[in-house]
Amino acid sequence: MAPRLFDPNLYRARADYRINGVRRRLVIDVDPPARGEEVLERTNDDIGVTLRFLHEPHGLLVQPQVVALRPNVALDRVEPLVLEQRGTRKLRFFRQGWQTWSGTSSFGTNVAEPRPRGRWLGEITRHCAAPNDVAIGHFNSELCTCACDLAERRSVVLGYLTTRSQFGGFEIFAEDPMRTRIVARLPFEGAAIEPHQIRACETLLVLWGEDPAELLELFASRLGRRMSARVPRARPVAWCSAHAFPNIDEELALQCLERASAGTEGIPLEQFRLAQGYQLAIGDWLRANDGFSSGMARMADEIRRRNMTPGIWLAPFIARPEASVVRDRPEWFLKGPRGELRRAVYNPAWGKLSAAKALDTTHPGALAWVARTVRTLALEWGFHVLELDFLFAATLPGRRHDPSATGAQALRTGLEVIREAVGDQVHLVASGCPLGPAVGLVDSMRTGPDVAPTWSDWLVQRLGGNYELFPSTRNAIRNALGRTFMHGRLWHNDPDSVLPGDQGLALGVEEARTLATVGALTGGSLVISRDLASVPQGRMEIVQQVLAIQDTLAVPTSTRCLDLLAHDFPRLLWAARSDGGGYLAVLNPHDEARKIGLALDAYPLLEQQLREGDELHDVWTHRKYAVRNHGLDLGLLPKHAVRLLPVGGANPRTTPRKT
């Protein structure tokens, strides 16, 4: 048997801190135990660090903690584990983005990690502790990562089993082909520690095995159990008014409600969600603008009267300068180095001359205001689906009311207050949200940036590095594939709308099929963001088809990305059906037509499902493909196309379900 990939060996752990602003470091020489349990303690005059190692049959747990031994200690960073691999193997690495809009994919060692252009964009997509240098073979990953030797089928996954206090992440140094390192980091962001105060660090899990997707699923399952993840049973079908911003008003909303409640054949819409555009200002969530003169409570009543669940959008941790909460309570907001209100995000659609400010979710007054806001929306007005957006704002660096709190703690505290205020029956959807601290508090998590009426555009390519942040169907699909392993284990994945926008038919029919296929197979909800009166019949039939297919899936953890570590943009998705069969989705994400063929021996799961001579029928084109010579040749696939192939089991029902 080949040795494990990145097997622990001698390394140096460290803790970086400051005393009265002077930087210091405690370095610990570590010889990890080969088995069993071991506790290592090291101290100096300032701090003490404890590392507890616990071996499992196929894994290792590392539990660090830090104690201050004198006053005026500010803790910056702890590195509890460093793994090293020597040799010239061609490794690939999985990069988990920090928040929902951050790019997620795998890389080889010969590329540099994509970055958005501009420091302020970097603040949105990357944690402040992540290094800013861009170098070939140097990657950052948040929450978890994976390294894989595809040729020898050896993989290692590292991830944090607790996510309440720090944004645990990893740095991967693969510039030297003879020596590759994975460094686990726990950023404390200069949090103050009182003398003799013990600060627990997040628990780190290392897993070894063959299949990287299987290891990531095992990690997510354990994280979900440890953090009491919320995984809804139902797969809701929702209509959302996002397409109508900034022109949404009460009259248009009621017209759309009439069409949605009347029902569309085979698409039983269960939720009606109002996106941004109803509020007086960003931050004035309980004051409707002149376009909604009857108020939002009445709108919720109208939705319920039509037997649909009302939903509403808000960004609870930001507010623009004109909002009453900013004018009346500036002390509730995060402060910059000169005492100014900390910028959270600039959106020209909200106002061209100023940016929204970041709420300080460690301030008791701010937390009480958030609780009152969501309690009114959910419990008094009856919006039982809350779409919480721009949540990263709570984590931004700045002067907080509680100087001992990290950004992860600030976000977790804010989300805990929201969950406590609305109770367990309200469905929380998170967007623009750093992932870890939300586990156990939200029901659905967006997996990527907004989808768009186009595959990609100049803004995505020039400013977003063609990788993250800006609305992009391409990047939303790639992220949804990369985060498949989280669905049903940490929350319901929400890949955004399967039918976006009303800006013509900029998405071709192949692209529309790909978006709908990936959305249906990887997510726990199906959202339509178009005026139903403007949807061509052909596009509606796509939604009807994937909705019927979604009904046949084994839930909630039935889907796996088979080539997650093999390509920068995965192309193979397997979704198990409740009858024992499954669906194989094969994508061509490239910008030109490509010949696509699969060698089954490269995918053990497919080897188990397919036999020589099996004939597969594509759901979309009705073309037939046969298994020959232990492979599957799909021929020339158009750019951005997908083939959706039912495999085995009983004949799946692919006719629309009744409304």
Side-chain angles (χ1 to χ4, degrees), residues 456-515:
S456 186
D457 61 22
W458 69 270
L459 189 67
V460 176
Q461 296 161 9
R462 292 287 300 277
L463 295 185
N466 207 23
Y467 190 63
E468 57 192 351
L469 185 60
F470 296 101
S472 163
T473 294
R474 174 189 185 274
N475 292 345
I477 289 174
R478 192 202 57 246
N479 264 34
L481 294 168
R483 289 171 167 166
T484 298
F485 69 93
M486 295 179 168
H487 178 55
R489 298 176 177 89
L490 303 182
W491 39 57
H492 266 183
N493 281 5
D494 181 356
D496 201 17
S497 176
V498 299
L499 196 61
D502 273 339
Q503 300 173 26
L505 293 177
L507 279 183
V509 65
E510 298 282 8
E511 295 165 338
R513 289 169 175 169
T514 301
L515 173 61

Coordinates of all heavy atoms in Angstrom, one line a residue, residues 456-515:
S456 N -21.5 35.0 -19.2 CA -20.5 35.8 -18.6 C -20.5 37.1 -19.3 O -21.1 37.3 -20.3 CB -19.1 35.1 -18.7 OG -18.1 35.9 -17.9
D457 N -19.8 38.1 -18.8 CA -19.7 39.4 -19.4 C -18.4 40.1 -19.1 O -17.6 39.6 -18.3 CB -21.0 40.3 -19.1 CG -21.1 40.6 -17.6 OD1 -20.1 40.6 -16.9 OD2 -22.2 40.9 -17.2
W458 N -18.2 41.3 -19.6 CA -17.0 42.0 -19.4 C -16.7 42.4 -17.9 O -15.5 42.4 -17.5 CB -17.0 43.3 -20.2 CG -17.9 44.4 -19.7 CD1 -19.2 44.6 -20.1 CD2 -17.6 45.4 -18.8 NE1 -19.8 45.6 -19.4 CE2 -18.8 46.1 -18.6 CE3 -16.5 45.7 -18.0 CZ2 -18.9 47.2 -17.7 CZ3 -16.6 46.8 -17.1 CH2 -17.8 47.5 -17.0
L459 N -17.8 42.7 -17.2 CA -17.6 43.0 -15.8 C -17.0 41.8 -15.0 O -16.1 42.0 -14.2 CB -18.9 43.5 -15.2 CG -18.8 44.1 -13.8 CD1 -18.1 45.4 -13.8 CD2 -20.3 44.3 -13.2
V460 N -17.6 40.7 -15.2 CA -17.1 39.5 -14.6 C -15.7 39.2 -15.0 O -14.9 38.8 -14.1 CB -18.0 38.3 -15.0 CG1 -17.5 37.0 -14.4 CG2 -19.5 38.5 -14.6
Q461 N -15.4 39.4 -16.2 CA -14.0 39.0 -16.7 C -13.0 40.0 -16.3 O -11.9 39.6 -15.9 CB -14.1 38.9 -18.2 CG -15.0 37.7 -18.7 CD -15.4 37.8 -20.1 OE1 -14.9 38.7 -20.9 NE2 -16.3 37.0 -20.6
R462 N -13.3 41.3 -16.4 CA -12.3 42.3 -16.1 C -12.1 42.6 -14.6 O -11.0 42.7 -14.1 CB -12.7 43.7 -16.7 CG -12.7 43.6 -18.3 CD -11.2 43.7 -18.8 NE -10.5 44.8 -18.3 CZ -10.6 46.0 -18.9 NH1 -11.3 46.2 -20.0 NH2 -9.9 47.1 -18.5
L463 N -13.2 42.7 -13.8 CA -13.1 43.0 -12.4 C -13.2 41.8 -11.5 O -12.6 41.7 -10.4 CB -14.2 44.0 -12.0 CG -14.1 45.4 -12.7 CD1 -15.2 46.3 -12.1 CD2 -12.8 46.0 -12.5
G464 N -13.9 40.8 -11.9 CA -14.1 39.6 -11.1 C -13.1 38.5 -11.4 O -13.2 37.4 -10.8
G465 N -12.2 38.7 -12.3 CA -11.2 37.7 -12.6 C -11.8 36.5 -13.3 O -11.3 35.4 -13.4
N466 N -13.0 36.7 -13.9 CA -13.8 35.6 -14.5 C -14.0 34.4 -13.5 O -14.0 33.3 -13.9 CB -13.2 35.1 -15.8 CG -14.2 34.5 -16.7 OD1 -15.4 34.8 -16.7 ND2 -13.7 33.7 -17.6
Y467 N -14.1 34.8 -12.2 CA -14.1 33.7 -11.2 C -15.1 33.9 -10.1 O -15.6 32.9 -9.6 CB -12.6 33.7 -10.6 CG -12.3 32.5 -9.7 CD1 -12.4 31.2 -10.2 CD2 -12.0 32.7 -8.4 CE1 -12.1 30.1 -9.4 CE2 -11.8 31.6 -7.5 CZ -11.8 30.3 -8.0 OH -11.5 29.3 -7.2
E468 N -15.4 35.1 -9.7 CA -16.2 35.3 -8.5 C -16.9 36.6 -8.5 O -16.7 37.5 -9.3 CB -15.4 35.1 -7.3 CG -14.2 36.1 -7.1 CD -13.2 35.6 -6.1 OE1 -13.5 34.7 -5.3 OE2 -12.2 36.2 -6.0
L469 N -17.8 36.8 -7.5 CA -18.4 38.0 -7.0 C -19.6 38.5 -7.9 O -20.7 38.5 -7.5 CB -17.4 39.1 -6.9 CG -17.9 40.5 -6.3 CD1 -18.5 40.2 -4.9 CD2 -16.8 41.5 -6.2
F470 N -19.3 38.8 -9.2 CA -20.3 39.5 -10.0 C -21.3 38.5 -10.6 O -20.9 37.3 -10.8 CB -19.7 40.3 -11.1 CG -18.8 41.4 -10.6 CD1 -17.4 41.3 -10.5 CD2 -19.4 42.6 -10.2 CE1 -16.7 42.4 -10.1 CE2 -18.7 43.7 -9.7 CZ -17.3 43.6 -9.6
P471 N -22.5 38.9 -10.8 CA -23.5 38.0 -11.4 C -23.0 37.3 -12.7 O -22.5 38.0 -13.6 CB -24.7 38.9 -11.8 CG -24.6 40.0 -10.7 CD -23.1 40.2 -10.6
S472 N -23.0 36.0 -12.7 CA -22.5 35.2 -13.8 C -23.0 33.8 -13.8 O -22.9 33.1 -12.8 CB -20.9 35.2 -13.7 OG -20.4 34.1 -14.5
T473 N -23.7 33.4 -14.8 CA -24.2 32.0 -14.9 C -23.1 31.0 -14.8 O -23.1 30.0 -14.2 CB -25.1 31.8 -16.1 OG1 -26.3 32.7 -16.0 CG2 -25.5 30.4 -16.3
R474 N -22.0 31.3 -15.6 CA -20.9 30.4 -15.6 C -20.3 30.2 -14.2 O -20.1 29.0 -13.8 CB -19.8 31.0 -16.5 CG -18.5 30.3 -16.5 CD -17.4 31.1 -17.2 NE -16.1 30.3 -17.3 CZ -15.2 30.3 -16.4 NH1 -15.4 31.0 -15.2 NH2 -14.1 29.6 -16.5
N475 N -20.0 31.3 -13.5 CA -19.4 31.1 -12.2 C -20.4 30.5 -11.1 O -20.0 29.8 -10.2 CB -18.9 32.4 -11.7 CG -17.7 32.9 -12.5 OD1 -17.1 32.1 -13.3 ND2 -17.3 34.2 -12.4
A476 N -21.7 30.8 -11.3 CA -22.7 30.3 -10.4 C -22.7 28.7 -10.5 O -22.8 28.0 -9.6 CB -24.0 30.9 -10.6
I477 N -22.6 28.3 -11.8 CA -22.7 26.8 -12.0 C -21.4 26.2 -11.5 O -21.5 25.1 -10.8 CB -22.8 26.5 -13.5 CG1 -24.2 26.9 -14.0 CG2 -22.5 25.1 -13.9 CD1 -24.4 26.8 -15.5
R478 N -20.2 26.8 -11.7 CA -19.0 26.2 -11.2 C -19.0 26.1 -9.7 O -18.6 25.0 -9.1 CB -17.8 27.0 -11.7 CG -16.4 26.3 -11.5 CD -15.3 27.2 -11.4 NE -15.5 28.2 -10.4 CZ -15.6 29.5 -10.6 NH1 -15.6 30.0 -11.8 NH2 -15.8 30.3 -9.6
N479 N -19.4 27.1 -9.0 CA -19.5 27.1 -7.6 C -20.5 26.0 -7.1 O -20.2 25.3 -6.1 CB -19.9 28.4 -7.0 CG -18.7 29.3 -6.6 OD1 -17.6 29.2 -7.3 ND2 -18.8 30.0 -5.6
A480 N -21.6 25.9 -7.8 CA -22.6 24.9 -7.3 C -22.1 23.5 -7.4 O -22.3 22.7 -6.6 CB -23.9 25.0 -8.2
L481 N -21.3 23.2 -8.5 CA -20.6 21.9 -8.6 C -19.6 21.7 -7.5 O -19.6 20.7 -6.9 CB -20.0 21.8 -10.0 CG -20.9 21.8 -11.2 CD1 -20.1 22.0 -12.5 CD2 -21.7 20.5 -11.2
G482 N -18.8 22.7 -7.2 CA -17.8 22.6 -6.2 C -18.3 22.5 -4.8 O -17.6 21.9 -4.0
R483 N -19.5 22.9 -4.6 CA -20.0 22.9 -3.2 C -21.1 21.8 -3.1 O -21.9 21.8 -2.1 CB -20.5 24.3 -2.8 CG -19.4 25.2 -2.5 CD -19.8 26.6 -2.3 NE -18.7 27.4 -1.8 CZ -18.6 28.8 -1.8 NH1 -19.6 29.5 -2.3 NH2 -17.6 29.4 -1.3
T484 N -21.2 20.9 -4.0 CA -22.2 19.9 -4.0 C -22.2 19.1 -2.7 O -23.2 18.7 -2.1 CB -22.0 18.9 -5.2 OG1 -22.2 19.6 -6.4 CG2 -23.0 17.8 -5.1
F485 N -21.0 18.8 -2.1 CA -20.8 18.0 -1.0 C -21.5 18.6 0.3 O -21.7 17.9 1.3 CB -19.4 17.6 -0.7 CG -18.5 18.8 -0.3 CD1 -18.3 19.1 1.1 CD2 -17.9 19.7 -1.2 CE1 -17.6 20.2 1.5 CE2 -17.2 20.7 -0.8 CZ -17.0 21.0 0.5
M486 N -21.8 19.9 0.3 CA -22.4 20.5 1.5 C -23.9 20.3 1.5 O -24.4 20.3 2.6 CB -22.1 22.0 1.4 CG -20.6 22.4 1.5 SD -20.4 24.2 1.5 CE -18.7 24.3 2.0
H487 N -24.5 20.0 0.4 CA -25.9 19.9 0.4 C -26.4 18.7 1.2 O -26.0 17.6 1.0 CB -26.4 19.8 -1.1 CG -27.9 19.7 -1.2 ND1 -28.8 20.6 -0.7 CD2 -28.7 18.7 -1.8 CE1 -30.0 20.2 -0.9 NE2 -30.0 19.1 -1.6
G488 N -27.4 19.0 2.0 CA -28.0 17.9 2.8 C -27.2 17.6 4.0 O -27.6 16.7 4.8
R489 N -26.0 18.2 4.2 CA -25.1 17.9 5.3 C -25.0 19.2 6.2 O -24.9 19.1 7.4 CB -23.8 17.4 4.8 CG -23.9 16.1 4.1 CD -22.6 15.7 3.5 NE -22.7 14.4 2.9 CZ -23.0 14.2 1.6 NH1 -23.2 15.3 0.8 NH2 -23.2 13.0 1.1
L490 N -24.8 20.3 5.6 CA -24.7 21.6 6.3 C -25.9 22.5 6.3 O -26.2 23.3 7.1 CB -23.5 22.4 5.8 CG -22.1 21.7 5.8 CD1 -21.0 22.6 5.3 CD2 -21.8 21.1 7.2
W491 N -26.7 22.3 5.2 CA -27.9 23.1 4.9 C -28.5 22.6 3.6 O -27.9 21.6 3.0 CB -27.6 24.6 4.8 CG -26.3 24.8 4.1 CD1 -25.9 24.4 2.9 CD2 -25.1 25.5 4.7 NE1 -24.6 24.8 2.6 CE2 -24.1 25.4 3.7 CE3 -24.8 26.1 5.9 CZ2 -22.8 26.0 3.9 CZ3 -23.6 26.6 6.1 CH2 -22.6 26.6 5.1
H492 N -29.4 23.3 3.0 CA -29.8 23.1 1.6 C -29.0 24.1 0.8 O -29.0 25.3 1.1 CB -31.3 23.4 1.4 CG -32.2 22.2 1.5 ND1 -33.5 22.3 1.3 CD2 -31.9 20.9 1.8 CE1 -34.1 21.1 1.4 NE2 -33.1 20.2 1.7
N493 N -28.3 23.5 -0.2 CA -27.6 24.4 -1.1 C -28.6 25.2 -1.9 O -29.7 24.6 -2.3 CB -26.7 23.6 -2.1 CG -25.4 23.2 -1.4 OD1 -25.2 23.4 -0.3 ND2 -24.5 22.6 -2.2
D494 N -28.4 26.4 -2.2 CA -29.2 27.3 -3.0 C -28.4 27.8 -4.2 O -27.7 28.8 -4.0 CB -29.8 28.4 -2.1 CG -30.7 29.3 -2.9 OD1 -30.9 29.1 -4.2 OD2 -31.3 30.2 -2.3
P495 N -28.5 27.2 -5.3 CA -27.7 27.7 -6.5 C -28.3 28.9 -7.2 O -27.8 29.2 -8.3 CB -27.7 26.4 -7.4 CG -28.9 25.7 -7.1 CD -29.2 26.0 -5.6
D496 N -29.3 29.5 -6.6 CA -30.0 30.6 -7.2 C -30.9 30.2 -8.3 O -31.2 29.0 -8.5 CB -29.0 31.7 -7.7 CG -29.6 33.1 -7.9 OD1 -30.7 33.3 -7.3 OD2 -29.1 34.0 -8.5
S497 N -31.5 31.1 -9.1 CA -32.6 30.9 -10.0 C -32.2 29.9 -11.1 O -31.1 30.0 -11.7 CB -33.1 32.2 -10.5 OG -34.1 32.0 -11.5
V498 N -33.1 29.1 -11.5 CA -33.0 28.2 -12.7 C -33.5 28.9 -13.9 O -33.4 28.4 -15.0 CB -33.6 26.8 -12.5 CG1 -33.0 26.1 -11.3 CG2 -35.1 27.0 -12.3
L499 N -34.2 30.0 -13.7 CA -34.8 30.8 -14.8 C -34.6 32.3 -14.5 O -35.5 32.9 -14.0 CB -36.3 30.4 -15.0 CG -36.9 30.8 -16.3 CD1 -36.3 30.1 -17.4 CD2 -38.4 30.5 -16.2
P500 N -33.4 32.8 -14.8 CA -33.1 34.2 -14.4 C -33.5 35.3 -15.4 O -33.6 35.0 -16.6 CB -31.6 34.2 -14.3 CG -31.2 33.2 -15.4 CD -32.3 32.2 -15.4
G501 N -33.7 36.5 -14.9 CA -33.8 37.7 -15.7 C -34.9 37.7 -16.7 O -35.5 36.7 -17.1
D502 N -35.1 38.9 -17.2 CA -36.1 39.1 -18.3 C -35.4 39.9 -19.5 O -36.1 40.5 -20.3 CB -37.3 39.9 -17.8 CG -38.4 39.0 -17.2 OD1 -38.4 37.9 -17.5 OD2 -39.2 39.5 -16.4
Q503 N -34.1 39.9 -19.5 CA -33.4 40.7 -20.5 C -33.2 39.9 -21.8 O -32.1 39.4 -22.1 CB -32.0 41.1 -19.9 CG -32.1 41.9 -18.7 CD -30.8 42.2 -18.0 OE1 -29.8 42.2 -18.7 NE2 -30.8 42.5 -16.7
G504 N -34.3 39.7 -22.4 CA -34.3 38.9 -23.7 C -34.0 37.4 -23.4 O -34.2 36.9 -22.3
L505 N -33.4 36.8 -24.4 CA -33.0 35.4 -24.3 C -31.5 35.3 -24.5 O -31.0 34.6 -25.3 CB -33.8 34.5 -25.3 CG -35.3 34.4 -25.0 CD1 -35.9 33.6 -26.1 CD2 -35.5 33.7 -23.7
A506 N -30.7 36.1 -23.7 CA -29.3 36.1 -23.8 C -28.7 34.8 -23.5 O -27.6 34.4 -24.0 CB -28.7 37.2 -22.9
L507 N -29.3 34.0 -22.6 CA -28.9 32.6 -22.4 C -29.4 31.7 -23.5 O -30.7 31.7 -23.7 CB -29.3 32.1 -21.1 CG -28.5 32.4 -19.8 CD1 -29.1 31.8 -18.6 CD2 -27.1 32.1 -19.9
G508 N -28.6 31.0 -24.2 CA -29.1 30.1 -25.3 C -29.8 28.9 -24.7 O -29.7 28.7 -23.4
V509 N -30.4 28.1 -25.5 CA -31.2 27.0 -25.0 C -30.2 26.0 -24.3 O -30.6 25.4 -23.3 CB -32.0 26.4 -26.1 CG1 -31.1 25.7 -27.2 CG2 -33.0 25.3 -25.5
E510 N -29.0 25.8 -24.9 CA -28.1 24.8 -24.2 C -27.7 25.4 -22.9 O -27.6 24.6 -21.9 CB -26.9 24.6 -25.1 CG -27.1 24.0 -26.5 CD -27.4 22.5 -26.4 OE1 -27.4 22.0 -25.2 OE2 -27.5 21.8 -27.4
E511 N -27.4 26.6 -22.8 CA -27.0 27.2 -21.5 C -28.1 27.2 -20.5 O -27.9 26.9 -19.3 CB -26.5 28.7 -21.7 CG -25.3 28.7 -22.5 CD -25.0 30.1 -23.1 OE1 -25.9 30.9 -23.1 OE2 -23.8 30.4 -23.4
A512 N -29.4 27.4 -21.0 CA -30.5 27.3 -20.1 C -30.7 25.9 -19.5 O -31.0 25.7 -18.3 CB -31.8 27.8 -20.8
R513 N -30.5 24.9 -20.4 CA -30.6 23.5 -19.9 C -29.5 23.2 -18.9 O -29.8 22.5 -17.9 CB -30.5 22.6 -21.1 CG -31.7 22.6 -22.0 CD -31.4 21.8 -23.3 NE -32.5 21.7 -24.2 CZ -32.5 21.3 -25.4 NH1 -31.3 20.9 -25.9 NH2 -33.6 21.2 -26.1
T514 N -28.3 23.7 -19.1 CA -27.2 23.4 -18.2 C -27.5 24.1 -16.8 O -27.3 23.4 -15.8 CB -25.9 24.0 -18.8 OG1 -25.6 23.3 -20.0 CG2 -24.7 23.7 -17.8
L515 N -27.9 25.3 -16.8 CA -28.2 26.0 -15.6 C -29.3 25.3 -14.8 O -29.2 25.0 -13.6 CB -28.7 27.4 -15.9 CG -29.2 28.3 -14.7 CD1 -28.1 28.4 -13.6 CD2 -29.7 29.6 -15.2

